[in-house]
Amino acid sequence: MRRIAILVGTLLAGQAFAADLLTIYREALIQDSTYAGAKAQYIGTQERLPQARALLLPNINFGAGTHYNEVNADYPNNPALPSGRFNFYDYNYGVNVTQPLYRRQNDAIYEQAKVQVRQAQNQLSAANQDLITRVAQSYFDVLLARVNLSTIRSQKSAVAEQLEQAKRNFIVGTATITDSREAQARYDLVVAQELVSENDLEVKTRALELIVGKPVGNLAGLGAPVTLNPPEPADMGTWVEQAYQSSLQIALARQNVEIAAQEIRKADAGNYPTLDAVGSLTDNYASNSVIGIRSDLRSLIVGVQLNIPLYQGGGISSRVREAVAGQERARQDLENARRTVAQQTREAFLGVTSGLGQIKALRQAVGSTTLQLE
């Protein structure tokens, strides 16, 4: 993002234009729906860390209930027990506590969540870089379309003057009707080109307004002269190595490999035992019973609970193999990202160097044309 900001700053010719471009960018930060969606995704992904941390903390539940009971009791083989109809109510309430002591999958989920949060930060930074690029590209597209329209209108004025001259020459007999019709054809062609340029300017302006979310009005153009410096250092390999270290695309792919590694650990955790500390405090009260006795029972239970998986039908092994394949895919995506970034960096380097040479040649052509005009 810093390099893009420096590039944009290099292209700006004056403080006024820089302010205008910054104004458009600041509006886009607020209004652009693509960046707003990336920001919302970042905020949502941040919640994965407290969710994963919750799996390591105690789980406390409170439960309560009350019931009305109507029971008809008859004990023909045991006359010592009371028979008849019993109407009574009961209630119960209690607190249950579970504290995970050893759950391998919870540790993997927590480590995975930390990587996902870092990845979300890089994704938001990538979205910000993309916004800067889209704003600058759309801004310059509008400026270029405006210059093209101005050029076409200048040509239209010149061709119109030639058309009038051809008509006058035809009237006085120094030109043929063919000359006049050729001048009219050139004028009609320029009019058609003007309509195309006007439509192109409107389309480019609407594209910029789509990013900003409102009409942009008049935009300041480039000042003169514009100073463009060559890349420093002037070594393509150095820029490629720097891209390996700072590219968000590579960082995201590398984090996908880390997430896939934790996914293997999480899947393999199904083969390991789990150990929890458990406790409960309950109170059960009944105003009567089928034997005619009221009860009020309070109990406190504290202990540990061990669960050892013995056989899960081969599902755990299958999930591990799936996770291993996912990690291999992430590694290949990382290698592809490295190659893509290297190629893009080389293309950008060559584009900048050749573009500077083209600008120099065009400036010389402008100078030569000016002398010719004089």
Side-chain angles (χ1 to χ4, degrees), residues 4 47 77 159 164 168 218 226 255 267 274 305 309 315 326 373:
I4 295 179
E47 297 301 323
N77 296 328
V159 172
E164 293 299 324
R168 290 193 300 268
N218 294 326
V226 178
Q255 287 164 345
T274 62
Q305 183 173 336
L373 176 62

Side-chain angles (χ1 to χ4, degrees), residues 155-178:
Q155 292 177 355
K156 177 183 175 183
S157 178
V159 172
E161 184 177 350
Q162 294 174 359
L163 176 60
E164 293 299 324
Q165 182 179 5
K167 289 180 179 180
R168 290 193 300 268
N169 292 339
F170 175 72
I171 292 175
V172 299
T174 59
T176 64
I177 187 63
T178 301

Side-chain angles (χ1 to χ4, degrees), residues 240-270:
V240 172
E241 290 298 326
Q242 184 176 353
Y244 286 152
Q245 302 299 324
S246 60
S247 170
L248 290 176
Q249 184 178 352
I250 294 179
L252 291 172
R254 188 179 294 112
Q255 287 164 345
N256 281 333
V257 175
E258 297 180 28
I259 293 174
Q262 294 299 332
E263 193 67 26
I264 295 176
R265 184 184 176 193
K266 184 169 63 175
D268 185 61

Side-chain angles (χ1 to χ4, degrees), residues 28-336:
L29 278 176
I30 302 173
Q31 301 294 338
D32 183 61
S33 58
T34 301
Y35 181 72
K39 187 189 300 182
Q41 183 179 2
Y42 167 69
I43 295 174
T45 304
Q46 281 185 312
E47 297 301 323
R48 295 186 181 181
L49 189 57
Q51 292 171 12
R53 187 184 297 113
L55 299 175
L56 306 175
L57 300 177
N59 188 352
I60 304 175
N61 297 296
F62 173 81
T66 182
H67 312 87
Y68 172 76
N69 302 271
E70 182 175 332
V71 181
N72 291 319
D74 184 16
Y75 304 98
N77 296 328
N78 192 349
L81 297 176
S83 300
R85 175 175 293 181
F86 299 89
N87 298 322
F88 61 95
Y89 70 92
D90 68 79
Y91 66 83
N92 62 83
Y93 61 89
V95 177
N96 297 305
V97 180
T98 301
Q99 169 61 59
L101 299 178
Y102 177 75
R103 286 181 176 265
R104 184 179 175 89
Q105 63 271 27
N106 291 354
D107 295 336
I109 293 173
Y110 182 68
E111 294 299 325
Q112 191 178 60
K114 291 194 293 185
V115 178
Q116 289 172 337
V117 170
R118 295 198 304 269
Q119 187 180 56
Q121 294 173 344
N122 288 333
Q123 288 172 340
L124 182 61
S125 299
N128 193 8
Q129 287 190 5
D130 177 69
L131 179 63
I132 293 174
T133 303
R134 288 188 290 116
V135 169
Q137 183 66 56
S138 296
Y139 199 102
F140 294 136
D141 284 345
V142 173
L143 295 184
L144 179 60
R146 191 174 66 179
V147 170
N148 289 338
L149 179 59
S150 178
T151 302
I152 292 297
R153 286 175 175 173
S154 297
Q155 292 177 355
K156 177 183 175 183
S157 178
V159 172
E161 184 177 350
Q162 294 174 359
L163 176 60
E164 293 299 324
Q165 182 179 5
K167 289 180 179 180
R168 290 193 300 268
N169 292 339
F170 175 72
I171 292 175
V172 299
T174 59
T176 64
I177 187 63
T178 301
D179 297 330
S180 178
R181 289 176 177 174
E182 287 179 353
Q184 182 67 48
R186 289 194 298 271
Y187 179 80
D188 294 338
L189 179 61
V190 171
V191 170
Q193 293 174 346
E194 181 184 23
L195 294 175
V196 173
S197 296
E198 289 176 347
N199 181 72
D200 182 63
L201 176 59
E202 181 69 17
V203 171
K204 297 299 174 52
T205 303
R206 297 304 177 189
L208 181 58
E209 292 176 353
L210 179 64
I211 300 175
V212 180
K214 65 178 184 180
V216 295
N218 294 326
L219 302 178
L222 287 172
V226 178
T227 302
L228 299 177
N229 299 320
E232 290 293 340
D235 178 52
M236 183 187 301
T238 302
W239 285 96
V240 172
E241 290 298 326
Q242 184 176 353
Y244 286 152
Q245 302 299 324
S246 60
S247 170
L248 290 176
Q249 184 178 352
I250 294 179
L252 291 172
R254 188 179 294 112
Q255 287 164 345
N256 281 333
V257 175
E258 297 180 28
I259 293 174
Q262 294 299 332
E263 193 67 26
I264 295 176
R265 184 184 176 193
K266 184 169 63 175
D268 185 61
N271 293 315
Y272 288 78
T274 62
L275 182 64
D276 301 325
V278 296
S280 63
L281 177 63
T282 59
D283 185 1
N284 294 275
Y285 173 82
S287 62
N288 202 347
S289 67
V290 294
I291 59 175
I293 300 176
R294 186 183 68 177
S295 63
D296 188 1
L297 304 176
R298 294 182 177 87
S299 62
L300 173 64
I301 301 174
V302 177
V304 293
Q305 183 173 336
L306 176 66
N307 181 36
I308 301 177
L310 298 179
Y311 181 67
Q312 303 295 329
I316 296 177
S317 299
S318 177
R319 285 190 291 270
V320 170
R321 292 192 297 269
E322 180 184 9
V324 170
Q327 186 186 43
E328 179 60 26
R329 175 184 175 182
R331 288 174 177 170
Q332 295 301 325
D333 290 342
L334 173 59
E335 179 61 26
N336 181 64

Side-chain angles (χ1 to χ4, degrees), residues 328-367:
E328 179 60 26
R329 175 184 175 182
R331 288 174 177 170
Q332 295 301 325
D333 290 342
L334 173 59
E335 179 61 26
N336 181 64
R338 288 175 57 86
R339 296 178 183 179
T340 301
V341 167
Q343 180 64 20
Q344 291 174 347
T345 303
R346 295 187 182 99
E347 291 178 356
F349 183 87
L350 294 175
V352 170
T353 53
S354 63
L356 291 174
Q358 184 179 7
I359 291 173
K360 182 179 179 181
L362 290 174
R363 283 176 175 171
Q364 293 176 349
V366 170

